[in-house]
């Protein structure tokens, strides 16, 4: 066989697979979203979901969640990765522990925080033992939408900061230490070094991290289901409901299209805002 | 002006500098300690719940120490459908692992060793998959799978999970092979190996630990995936699908025990491959 | 007046003593080179002077001010790094202006200084470029300009030429010398290249596993190496160290080694009184002269001889060290004056 064809033979299985299980279903989502149950092409699925009383709340909750969680996580991850980069002894252990949530699904994270925030949970037991409450308090009920939201925020921060951390730690590892030393010699204190050296040089990593994390925020649903149940609808959860509980693939696909559209908009936004000028890379 | 001599001022300055250093050190260590317990403590609490009897789990107030009672765990194991779900999760994850590595490794090798037309397009296709919420693709696939008889099958599910894991597998293996000097392979060719022999005798042994890591990664992706699993499986539920679909019906101790069972293997596996976690992301970064 | 005083600086990493009580007095406007092989502690000493690393004990003074407890930014030093550390996300102008901006210098002064130093380093046409668009040599010029622009008390340079190719290095060396002579800044320069050290330095501190063996002007270092180590590190090929068994005439008390440079022999093709008959092992023609390796009863000699002497390997040659070039060393390798 001609050597020229080697690489094509090697990538062919992956390409075929991705065409079949990524490109094709991706197009099919649109087809199904724009095909009504009687086979007509049109917006009837979208009309269905837009008029559903859960659509606007789920859109609002999803966006609001991303808006609150992602910036907090970004700041935390930057702080944590700087901390890690300054460590010598025990660095690997701490890093491993801080990245444990990478192996925890949002379902499991939801269960963990349910154990804490539940009516019979550890938070209430703790508050009881220090005398703040005298009987189990039900925090996660429909009367406390803000507490439910806060609980989801905390669980999400616990679960998904690790992915940002890993990307930023490896990004920081790519910055030669001489840049910091030069900045230090020429008079920059640690705060200035963070803003003038670390963050600008970290831009490509920040971009990747933000894109991945924001998309993951749009995909959140198991945590919310566990902590909020039906009291806090989110887009992915509604998609699941339409697909699984109402068996309406068209409407579920329409939701999927909405999520995809949001993902694309945010990806483009980050690519634009955090782009690095030509020749200004490490 | 003060009457202090230069030496006294200096001594004061040095003392001040040392005090500041100590304070920073203290602040630093306590934030490390805080963050570590912020991650570990919730997991510990889940373990406490899982290792306590149902009465205690539903009781009030709770003890922060486990009573090491296996009632919840054994109840969970005997709960209808759990064992089957556990087995299904394992099978789907193993399928995913094998397919993702089998397809991804050759592609990763091609990216690392060859320059060819369309290389950048291929790389874009790979990266593109990460700009979309992939689990959503389970929706149209559910319909397609019914038509081809893959509905409610673990194989079908693992195909979707492979779509999630394959991009990682390609990027990780390509970075792995890039890290193995091509000169080693060339030396083997000169010494009489053909391309395949050189790959098996020289590259493979060097790449094996990294390949294992990427296999583990694929396993964990499948093991943890919730949405596609819940949409695609009905009778052959995986553990995640089982837990999601029975959220409102199953007793709390089943949820907690299930959570622990879900978390443990992932944590263990990540521990085994922790060394590779960063090289993966470091390169997947670009 | 910017002198630098290094007093009993000690530093160890784990079990390894990198610096074993080093002291150094650098005069105002002096160009001092720290010279030694890799691992001798020269870079660590420079970084301790800069404040990038902290000493275990000892004191650093710049002028009359003790600075050893201060962070780098409070020492008013500038530094040129081995791989330049030109910030990739800033233009050349912003790179050179960086130090002045940190000091909150007025915009007018910043512009003035940047333009002056850029012109001095011949990079005034590159001010709008990013570092990624520059060659290695240009980056190195930016690094020097950035250091000069802040008008530091002390200029520190860590192997600044080692990443350039041979030709460029020669050119930059000459250019650096004239620029730094004009700037009259007290400079500490680290290198492992003895030619660089010889050509640039007012004084050279030769370092040997954590100590300074000799701190003197280049001529003295070459002709009167304070230790056997200095003699064998400086000079190419290094000084010969010969056991006194071969020696005719008076030997100073306590001397165990005779040190003699390869070019400091009287050479003859015929046997003469008091000349050593050596057997030539190899001959290398080096253009300006030829270099021999030779041997007498197991003692190895390195000899430089003029091109006119015809000699083949295997031949015998007769040598005698020139009387005024003989240096004597003790058991411990110290020179006897």
């Amino acid at each position: 066989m001609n050597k020229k064809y080697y690489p094509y033979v090697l990538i062919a299985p992956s390409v075929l697979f991705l065409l079949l299980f990524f490109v094709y279903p991706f197009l099919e989502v649109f087809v199904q979203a724009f095909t009504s149950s009687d086979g007509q092409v049109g917006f009837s699925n979208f009309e269905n979901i837009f008029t559903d009383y859960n659509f606007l709340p789920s859109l609002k909750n999803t966006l609001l969640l991303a808006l609150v969680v992602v910036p907090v996580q970004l700041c935390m991850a930057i702080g944590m990765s700087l901390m890690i980069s300054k460590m010598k002894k025990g660095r690997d252990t701490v890093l491993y522990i801080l990245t444990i949530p990478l192996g925890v699904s949002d379902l499991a994270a939801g269960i963990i925080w349910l154990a804490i925030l539940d009516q019979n949970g550890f938070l209430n037991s703790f508050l009881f033992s220090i005398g703040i409450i005298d009987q189990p308090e039900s925090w996660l009920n429909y009367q406390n939408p803000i507490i439910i939201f806060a609980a989801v925020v905390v669980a999400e921060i616990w679960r998904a900061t690790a992915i940002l951390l890993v990307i930023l730690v490896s990004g920081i590892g790519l910055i030669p230490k001489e840049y910091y030393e030069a900045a230090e010699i020429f008079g920059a204190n640690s705060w200035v070094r963070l803003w003038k050296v670390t963050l600008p040089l970290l831009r490509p990593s920040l971009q990747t991290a933000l894109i991945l994390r924001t998309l993951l925020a749009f995909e959140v649903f198991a945590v919310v289901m566990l902590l909020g149940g039906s009291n806090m609808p989110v887009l992915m959860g509604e998609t699941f409901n339409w697909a699984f509980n109402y068996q309406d693939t068209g409407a579920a696909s329409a939701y999927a299209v909405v999520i995809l559209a949001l993902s694309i908009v945010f990806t483009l936004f980050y690519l634009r805002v955090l782009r690095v000028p030509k020749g200004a890379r490490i | 002006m003060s009457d202090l001599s230069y030496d006294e001022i200096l001594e004061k300055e040095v003392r001040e500098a040392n005090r500041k250093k100590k304070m920073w050190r203290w602040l630093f260590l306590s934030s490390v300690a805080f963050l570590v317990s912020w991650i570990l403590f919730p997991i510990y609490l889940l373990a406490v719940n899982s290792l306590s009897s149902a009465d205690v789990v539903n009781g009030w107030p709770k003890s922060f120490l486990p009573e090491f009672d296996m009632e919840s765990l054994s109840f969970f194991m005997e709960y209808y459908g759990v064992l089957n779900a556990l087995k299904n999760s394992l099978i789907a994850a193993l399928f995913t692992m094998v397919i993702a590595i089998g397809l991804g490794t050759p592609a990763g090798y091609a990216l690392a060793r060859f320059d060819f037309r369309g290389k950048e397009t291929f790389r874009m296709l790979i990266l593109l998959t990460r700009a979309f919420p992939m689990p959503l693709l389970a929706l149209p696939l559910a319909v397609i799978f019914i038509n081809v008889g893959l509905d409610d099958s673990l194989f079908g599910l693992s195909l979707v999970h492979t779509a999630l894991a394959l991009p990682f597998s390609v990027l990780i293996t390509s970075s792995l092979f890039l890290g193995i000097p091509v000169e080693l392979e060339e030396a083997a060719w000169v010494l009489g190996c053909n391309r395949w022999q050189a790959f098996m005798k020289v590259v493979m042994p060097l790449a094996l630990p990294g390949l294992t890591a990427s296999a583990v990664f694929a396993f964990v992706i499948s093991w943890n995936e919730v949405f596609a699993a819940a949409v695609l499986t009905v009778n052959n539920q995986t553990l995640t699908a089982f837990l999601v679909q029975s959220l409102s019906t199953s007793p709390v101790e089943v949820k907690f025990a299930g959570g622990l069972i879900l978390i443990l293997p992932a944590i263990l596996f990540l521990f085994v491959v922790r060394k590779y976690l960063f090289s993966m992301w470091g390169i997947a970064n670009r | 007046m910017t002198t630098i005083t290094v007093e009993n600086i000690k530093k160890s990493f784990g079990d390894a003593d990198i610096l074993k009580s080093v002291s150094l007095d650098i005069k105002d406007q002096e160009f001092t080179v720290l010279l030694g092989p890799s691992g001798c502690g020269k870079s660590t000493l420079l970084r301790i002077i800069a404040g990038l690393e902290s000493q275990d004990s000892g004191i650093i003074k710049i002028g009359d001010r003790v600075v050893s407890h201060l962070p780098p930014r409070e020492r008013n030093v500038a530094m040129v790094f081995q791989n330049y550390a030109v910030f990739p996300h800033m233009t050349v102008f912003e790179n050179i202006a960086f130090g002045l901006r940190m000091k909150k210098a007025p915009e007018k002064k910043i512009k003035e200084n940047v333009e002056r130093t850029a012109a001095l380093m011949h990079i005034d046409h590159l001010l709008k470029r990013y570092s990624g668009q520059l060659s290695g040599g240009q980056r190195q010029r930016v690094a020097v300009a950035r250091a000069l622009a802040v008008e530091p008390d002390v200029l520190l340079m860590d192997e600044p030429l080692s990443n350039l190719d041979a030709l460029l290095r020669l050119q930059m060396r000459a250019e650096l010398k004239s620029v730094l002579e004009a700037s009259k800044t007290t400079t500490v320069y680290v290198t492992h290249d003895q030619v660089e050290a010889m050509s640039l330095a007012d004084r050279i501190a030769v370092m040997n596993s954590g100590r300074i063996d000799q701190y003197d002007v280049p001529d003295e270092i070459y002709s009167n190496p304070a230790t056997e180590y200095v003699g064998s590190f400086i000079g190419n090929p290094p000084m010969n160290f010969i056991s006194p068994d071969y020696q005719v005439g008076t030997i100073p008390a306590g001397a165990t080694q005779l040190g003699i440079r390869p070019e400091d022999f009287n050479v003859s093709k015929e046997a003469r009184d008091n000349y050593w008959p050596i057997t030539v092992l190899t001959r290398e023609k080096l253009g300006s002269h030829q270099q021999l390796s030779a041997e007498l009863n197991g003692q190895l000699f390195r000899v430089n001889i003029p091109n006119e002497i015809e000699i083949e390997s295997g031949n015998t040659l007769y040598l005698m060290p020139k009387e005024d070039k003989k240096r004597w060393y003790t058991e411990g390798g110290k020179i006897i004056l």
Side-chain angles (χ1 to χ4, degrees):
Chain A
M1 187 173 57
N2 193 329
K3 254 182 82 174
K4 215 171 66 184
Y5 297 116
Y6 280 179
Y8 298 105
V9 172
L10 292 172
I11 64 166
S14 300
V15 173
L16 273 178
F17 186 91
L18 288 176
L19 287 178
L20 218 55
F21 293 98
F22 170 55
V23 179
Y24 173 58
F26 178 71
L27 299 175
E28 190 64 21
V29 170
F30 284 89
V31 174
Q32 289 179 6
F34 288 100
T35 309
S36 59
S37 46
D38 53 11
Q40 297 279 341
V41 175
F43 290 90
S44 67
N45 287 320
F46 288 93
E47 277 159 28
N48 273 349
I49 65 164
F50 288 163
T51 51
D52 185 69
Y53 63 96
N54 262 343
F55 177 76
L56 278 180
S58 69
L59 181 66
K60 192 191 85 188
N61 286 335
T62 304
L63 285 176
L64 208 58
L65 197 61
L67 211 67
V68 173
V69 170
V70 176
V72 175
Q73 287 187 319
L74 186 68
C75 295
M76 279 181 70
I78 289 172
M80 283 153 88
S81 50
L82 290 175
M83 186 183 91
I84 298 267
S85 69
K86 287 220 165 58
M87 286 183 81
K88 291 188 193 88
K89 233 178 21 200
R91 176 183 190 271
D92 292 348
T93 314
V94 170
L95 198 50
Y96 168 66
I97 292 173
L98 295 186
T99 50
I100 280 178
L102 273 183
V104 178
S105 62
D106 66 336
L107 176 68
I111 294 175
I112 288 177
W113 285 93
L114 188 68
I116 295 171
L117 301 171
D118 198 20
Q119 189 162 7
N120 294 331
F122 291 99
L123 178 68
N124 274 342
S125 302
F126 174 71
L127 292 178
F128 176 74
S129 70
I130 58 170
I132 291 184
I133 54 173
D134 334 312
Q135 58 181 54
E137 203 57 62
S138 163
W139 303 109
L140 300 173
N141 71 27
Y142 66 95
Q143 289 168 327
N144 301 326
I146 293 176
I147 293 187
I148 291 178
F149 186 82
V152 173
V153 166
V154 170
E156 276 294 276
I157 288 174
W158 181 85
R159 176 181 76 93
T161 306
I163 193 164
L164 294 174
L165 177 67
V166 171
I167 295 171
L168 293 189
V169 165
S170 61
I172 285 180
L174 294 174
I175 304 176
K177 73 173 184 352
E178 281 82 0
Y179 291 137
Y180 300 109
E181 294 183 347
E184 208 178 344
I185 291 271
F186 289 105
N189 59 29
S190 21
W191 184 245
V192 176
R193 287 202 295 279
L194 173 65
W195 284 99
K196 294 257 176 180
V197 182
T198 314
L199 291 181
L201 290 177
L202 212 52
R203 253 171 128 144
S205 302
L206 288 173
Q207 201 179 53
T208 314
L210 278 173
I211 291 176
L212 277 175
R213 180 61 197 100
T214 309
L215 297 198
L216 282 177
F218 295 151
E219 281 176 48
V220 68
F221 93 109
V223 174
V224 186
M225 266 175 107
L226 273 154
L227 296 178
S230 54
N231 297 319
M232 186 178 156
V234 286
L235 289 176
M236 198 72 171
E238 287 309 298
T239 316
F240 177 74
N241 279 338
W242 284 98
F244 187 75
N245 294 332
Y246 317 145
Q247 300 285 334
D248 184 340
T249 317
S253 298
Y255 261 107
V257 167
V258 172
I259 298 174
L260 285 175
L262 277 181
S263 305
I264 293 168
V265 168
F266 274 82
T267 301
L268 292 178
F269 171 76
Y270 287 129
L271 286 178
R272 175 135 199 105
V273 170
L274 289 170
R275 82 174 176 277
V276 183
K278 214 179 113 208
R281 287 173 178 271
I282 293 175
Chain B
M1 283 307 285
S2 73
D3 317 325
L4 294 172
S5 72
Y6 178 74
D7 278 355
E8 284 168 310
I9 295 172
L10 179 67
E11 201 181 311
K12 231 177 101 192
E13 265 182 48
V14 172
R15 243 198 339 257
E16 181 68 8
N18 283 339
R19 200 183 60 85
K20 257 192 190 158
K21 226 187 253 171
K22 243 186 223 154
M23 202 185 72
W24 275 111
R25 184 93 206 125
W26 190 84
L27 203 71
F28 185 80
L29 287 179
S30 39
S31 38
V32 171
F34 171 77
L35 285 169
V36 165
S37 35
W38 154 250
I39 296 298
L40 289 184
F41 197 54
I43 297 179
Y44 168 76
L45 292 179
L46 178 71
V48 169
N49 251 356
S50 311
L51 294 173
S52 302
S53 60
D55 289 345
V56 172
V57 172
N58 291 301
W60 162 267
K62 280 227 172 78
S63 158
F64 283 79
L65 296 170
E67 50 169 2
F68 292 109
D69 185 308
M70 291 299 144
E71 190 196 318
S72 286
L73 279 175
S74 55
F75 178 67
F76 168 75
M77 284 304 184
E78 285 155 19
Y79 193 75
Y80 176 73
V82 164
L83 265 187
N84 210 30
L86 206 55
K87 192 189 78 195
N88 288 339
S89 269
L90 209 62
I91 292 174
L94 286 174
F95 271 147
T96 305
M97 187 170 109
V98 171
I99 306 174
I101 288 300
L103 298 179
T105 309
Y109 184 79
L111 280 184
R113 284 288 190 265
F114 295 97
D115 274 315
F116 55 94
R117 273 183 65 144
K119 185 174 173 175
E120 282 315 303
T121 319
F122 180 59
R123 201 193 288 277
M124 273 308 292
L125 178 69
I126 297 282
L127 291 177
L128 211 59
T129 59
R130 307 202 315 174
F132 294 102
M134 296 290 278
L136 285 177
L137 301 181
L139 291 176
L141 285 171
V143 180
I144 298 162
F145 281 176
I146 293 173
N147 296 332
V148 295
L150 276 176
D151 54 310
D152 198 14
S153 80
L154 292 174
F155 181 66
L157 174 61
S158 55
L159 287 175
V160 177
H161 285 173
T162 303
L164 283 166
L166 184 63
F168 284 97
S169 159
V170 173
L171 291 174
I172 293 163
T173 49
S174 102
S175 81
L176 256 176
F177 292 133
L178 272 178
I180 297 172
V182 67
E183 286 80 6
L184 291 181
E185 246 178 298
E186 287 170 347
W189 301 343
V190 172
L191 293 172
C193 289
N194 62 32
R195 202 146 192 153
W196 173 248
Q197 287 170 321
F199 179 79
M200 290 311 285
K201 284 184 197 289
V202 178
V203 180
M204 241 348 217
L206 291 171
L208 207 56
L211 283 179
T212 318
S214 95
V216 167
F217 217 61
F219 185 97
V220 172
I221 285 177
S222 166
W223 177 265
N224 276 338
E225 204 282 325
V226 185
F227 186 86
V231 169
L232 287 175
T233 59
V234 184
N235 294 316
N236 285 316
Q237 289 162 322
T238 64
L239 191 55
T240 52
F242 171 82
L243 286 170
V244 166
Q245 291 170 2
S246 61
L247 270 187
S248 48
T249 52
S250 60
V252 278
E253 62 268 30
V254 167
K255 287 183 205 164
F256 293 142
L260 191 68
I261 300 288
L262 210 51
I263 290 174
L264 283 183
I267 291 182
L268 281 180
F269 281 156
L270 285 183
F271 182 73
V272 174
V273 300
R274 66 194 181 286
K275 211 176 90 195
Y276 291 91
L277 208 60
F278 287 89
S279 54
M280 288 171 189
W281 283 99
I283 204 76
N285 235 335
R286 312 270 171 120
Chain C
M1 261 294 283
T2 313
T3 57
I4 305 174
T5 316
V6 174
E7 271 176 42
N8 305 321
I9 290 291
K10 286 186 191 165
K11 174 81 178 174
S12 53
F13 291 114
D15 291 339
D17 292 332
I18 303 296
L19 294 173
K20 304 164 186 160
S21 193
V22 170
S23 298
L24 207 58
D25 272 299
I26 298 168
K27 294 178 201 146
D28 184 31
Q29 301 189 11
E30 191 170 42
F31 193 123
T32 288
V33 171
L34 302 180
L35 175 67
S38 58
C40 72
K42 56 189 192 302
S43 279
T44 308
L45 180 57
L46 188 81
R47 292 166 59 82
I48 287 175
I49 296 174
L52 292 171
E53 248 158 87
S54 55
Q55 65 284 2
D56 295 343
S57 65
I59 283 180
I60 307 278
K61 280 193 213 170
I62 293 178
D64 293 329
R65 198 165 67 115
V66 175
V67 296
S68 26
H69 60 291
L70 298 175
R73 60 177 182 279
E74 288 169 34
R75 298 190 181 195
N76 200 22
V77 297
M79 186 157 166
V80 178
F81 291 81
Q82 182 170 2
N83 42 14
Y84 322 135
V86 174
F87 299 122
H89 57 295
M90 298 177 192
T91 59
V92 169
F93 184 97
E94 283 307 316
N95 261 288
I96 301 176
F98 187 86
L100 293 161
R101 289 214 195 286
M102 289 300 123
K103 286 183 179 158
K104 308 223 162 28
E107 202 56 37
K108 188 162 158 278
K109 180 175 165 75
I110 291 177
K111 199 164 178 303
E112 248 172 50
N113 274 19
V114 171
E115 278 166 4
R116 183 173 52 77
T117 48
L120 197 64
M121 295 310 296
H122 308 293
I123 45 171
D124 30 355
H125 57 296
L126 302 172
L127 287 175
K128 288 195 178 114
R129 301 257 185 108
Y130 285 104
S131 139
Q133 300 160 314
L134 303 179
S135 69
Q138 288 169 331
R139 251 176 253 178
Q140 139 85 195
R141 286 165 187 276
V142 176
V144 176
R146 179 173 67 181
L148 292 175
V150 293
E151 296 164 343
D153 290 341
V154 169
L155 180 59
L156 305 171
M157 306 182 105
D158 189 2
E159 309 232 10
L161 300 181
S162 64
N163 280 5
L164 299 177
D165 61 50
L167 205 65
L168 204 55
R169 199 182 314 164
L170 230 63
Q171 187 196 334
M172 272 308 288
R173 194 171 80 199
E175 215 171 307
L176 263 186
K177 193 175 166 81
S178 71
V179 167
L180 293 178
E181 254 165 25
S183 84
K184 294 194 192 316
T185 312
T186 310
T187 303
V188 185
Y189 184 109
V190 162
T191 183
H192 61 267
D193 181 340
Q194 46 168 307
V195 183
E196 218 169 280
M198 287 286 191
S199 73
L200 288 171
D202 292 327
R203 283 199 289 170
I204 301 176
V206 184
M207 294 190 65
N208 171 20
S209 48
R211 290 181 209 286
I212 294 179
D213 268 22
Q214 189 170 12
Y215 181 37
D216 217 327
V217 295
D219 283 346
E220 272 299 297
I221 299 255
Y222 188 79
S223 49
N224 289 316
T227 63
E228 225 183 293
Y229 175 84
V230 175
S232 51
F233 186 74
I234 309 268
N236 188 21
M239 204 173 213
N240 293 295
F241 289 95
I242 299 162
S243 140
D245 300 350
Y246 298 93
Q247 186 54 31
V248 190
T250 50
I251 301 171
T256 60
Q257 297 277 314
L258 163 66
I260 183 86
R261 292 268 174 212
E263 64 274 25
D264 294 336
F265 289 101
N266 293 315
V267 184
S268 160
K269 287 188 83 172
E270 280 90 46
R272 291 197 195 178
D273 278 358
N274 298 338
Y275 275 55
W276 303 327
I278 58 163
T279 312
V280 176
L281 299 174
T282 59
R283 181 187 67 152
E284 295 158 80
K285 291 198 156 199
L286 297 178
S288 60
H289 62 277
Q290 39 189 345
Q291 182 181 316
L292 307 179
S293 312
E295 181 239 19
L296 174 63
N297 300 335
Q299 166 79 52
L300 207 67
F301 290 83
R302 301 268 201 181
V303 189
N304 290 351
I305 59 170
N307 286 331
E308 296 80 60
I309 302 180
E310 281 294 331
I311 195 107
E312 301 278 329
S313 40
N315 293 2
T316 304
L317 193 68
Y318 299 87
L319 291 187
M320 188 177 71
K322 290 176 184 164
E323 199 53 42
D324 60 326
K325 302 287 186 185
K326 288 180 180 174
R327 302 290 180 264
W328 294 95
Y329 291 87
T330 63
E331 181 80 48
K334 290 247 178 347
I335 195 165
I336 300 173
L337 294 169

